[in-house]
Amino acid sequence: MIEVTSLGCGYGAVDVLRDVNLRIPAGEMTGVLGPNGSGKTTLLHVLAGILPPREGRVRVSGRDLEGSSARWRARLMASVAQNAAVTFPFRCLSVVLMGRYPHLSRWGGYTEQDLEQAMGAMEQTGTLALADRLINEISGGEAQRVVIARALAQAPSVLLLDEATSSLDVARKIQVFDLLLEKNRGEGTTIVCAMHDLNLAALYCDRLIFIKDGGIALDGPTQELFTSQNLSEIYGTRVMVSQHPVTGSPQAHFVPGAALAGGPDSSRSGVDARGSR
Ligand code: ADP
């Protein structure tokens, strides 16, 4: 579904990603992880067609993104940015209806079906009660859920999320990720989400891609990659890993005072992938 070959990109004189090769099959739920400034947002911008590659190519659904129309991309892919603020005083329902825009016929307006789809997405994200409120007069977390509803109303085959839940409380995070999982498992939506929350990524993502210093450091199944040694090396702090008591997923534990002084050596010195000494 998504194929990235020898990708190089950046901004102005700055090169951010170099020689990135990726293949994300349709229907995967993939987490993009890595330290601040490693290039996660940049990668998502390239996948969304917002930032053109300087080198290499990106194909989505068998077609080159370069030269593709914005309408074609919007029918296929929806993006949610981190703190995706809408500063204009639009009613929340109007914001969500904008997600239907790429599907409208060139001559017609919104149909009853578009309205149903928008309201369905608001119901799923718990934002239906906000339908008539102005998006610039609700809380940041509420606005973020409205923007997530807009992406769902777009009915995309590929959903790109950049730290989309970081401003939400724990219950809302879980609610959104449960919903994403339902879309992924039930409708086969391909989901790529850049995340800082390692434990949320381990709970929901089948596969993880770790970016560091502008390149792919690790790429593979969550169960294989989510180890104390890998996480300590990537993030430069001591990370211990244990098993989630309910789901069995690996979960990370951080150690006070171990940032930057930790890393690979301290992780080798006695903490295995289950977190025992
Ligand atoms: P991440 O999402 O992993 O935190 P980003 O992709 O946002 O990382 O940023 C990667 C690098 O690109 C950083 O060094 C950042 O400073 C730089 N960068 C991001 N956006 C811009 C921009 N618009 N102009 C110049 N440099 C940028």
Side-chain angles (χ1 to χ4, degrees):
M1 163 63 82
I2 301 175
E3 269 181 286
V4 176
T5 317
S6 307
L7 170 72
C9 65
Y11 309 91
V14 183
D15 282 329
V16 177
L17 296 175
R18 285 170 301 277
D19 196 26
V20 168
N21 292 286
L22 272 181
R23 215 179 155 273
I24 301 179
E28 259 194 7
M29 184 135 170
T30 302
V32 179
L33 307 179
N36 286 337
S38 55
K40 302 180 293 296
T41 299
T42 303
L43 177 65
L44 289 193
H45 282 174
V46 175
L47 297 185
I50 299 167
L51 182 70
R54 283 177 178 166
E55 284 161 29
R57 66 203 295 209
V58 180
R59 289 170 74 80
V60 181
S61 208
R63 196 163 149 183
D64 250 307
L65 275 193
E66 213 167 351
S68 66
S69 74
R71 184 176 165 90
W72 176 80
R73 290 198 303 270
R75 289 170 85 126
L76 189 68
M77 298 190 277
S79 303
V80 181
Q82 181 178 10
N83 303 322
V86 178
T87 45
F88 293 103
F90 290 120
R91 304 235 168 255
C92 291
L93 177 58
S94 307
V95 172
V96 178
L97 265 172
M98 287 173 199
R100 299 302 305 155
Y101 191 73
H103 300 283
L104 301 186
S105 82
R106 289 189 197 279
W107 299 279
Y110 297 113
T111 63
E112 199 57 35
Q113 230 176 347
D114 292 316
L115 188 64
E116 261 172 39
Q117 205 134 3
M119 298 201 28
M122 294 192 89
E123 189 162 15
Q124 288 177 320
T125 51
T127 54
L128 202 49
L130 302 170
D132 286 330
R133 302 266 303 274
L134 296 176
I135 194 157
N136 58 329
E137 291 179 1
I138 58 177
S139 80
E142 287 169 336
Q144 188 68 6
R145 284 187 289 128
V146 171
V147 172
I148 293 170
R150 178 178 63 189
L152 297 180
Q154 211 171 318
S157 304
V158 180
L159 197 43
L160 305 169
L161 301 125
D162 188 2
E163 283 296 331
T165 62
S166 43
S167 61
L168 305 186
D169 64 50
V170 176
R172 297 298 190 193
K173 275 186 198 184
I174 296 291
Q175 187 188 34
V176 168
F177 268 90
D178 281 347
L179 185 57
L180 295 176
L181 194 64
E182 206 180 297
K183 296 275 167 202
N184 174 257
R185 302 290 194 254
E187 297 168 27
T189 310
T190 305
I191 297 179
V192 183
C193 36
M195 299 172 77
H196 279 305
D197 189 329
L198 297 177
N199 289 335
L200 207 57
L203 279 177
Y204 287 96
C205 298
D206 316 311
R207 170 188 178 177
L208 300 178
I209 294 169
F210 287 92
I211 302 191
K212 192 167 185 187
D213 302 329
I216 299 208
L218 296 164
D219 176 4
T222 303
Q223 287 287 349
E224 271 175 37
L225 296 191
F226 204 95
T227 64
S228 171
Q229 184 172 333
N230 283 342
L231 297 176
S232 301
E233 278 180 12
I234 296 277
Y235 288 96
T237 187
R238 188 174 173 201
V239 183
M240 298 163 80
V241 174
S242 70
Q243 208 170 12
H244 189 288
V246 177
T247 67
S249 315
Q251 293 286 283
H253 307 280
F254 309 99
V255 182
L260 303 173
D265 293 340
S266 83
S267 69
R268 273 193 208 103
S269 70
V271 184
D272 69 16
R274 290 275 168 260
S276 54
R277 281 170 188 281

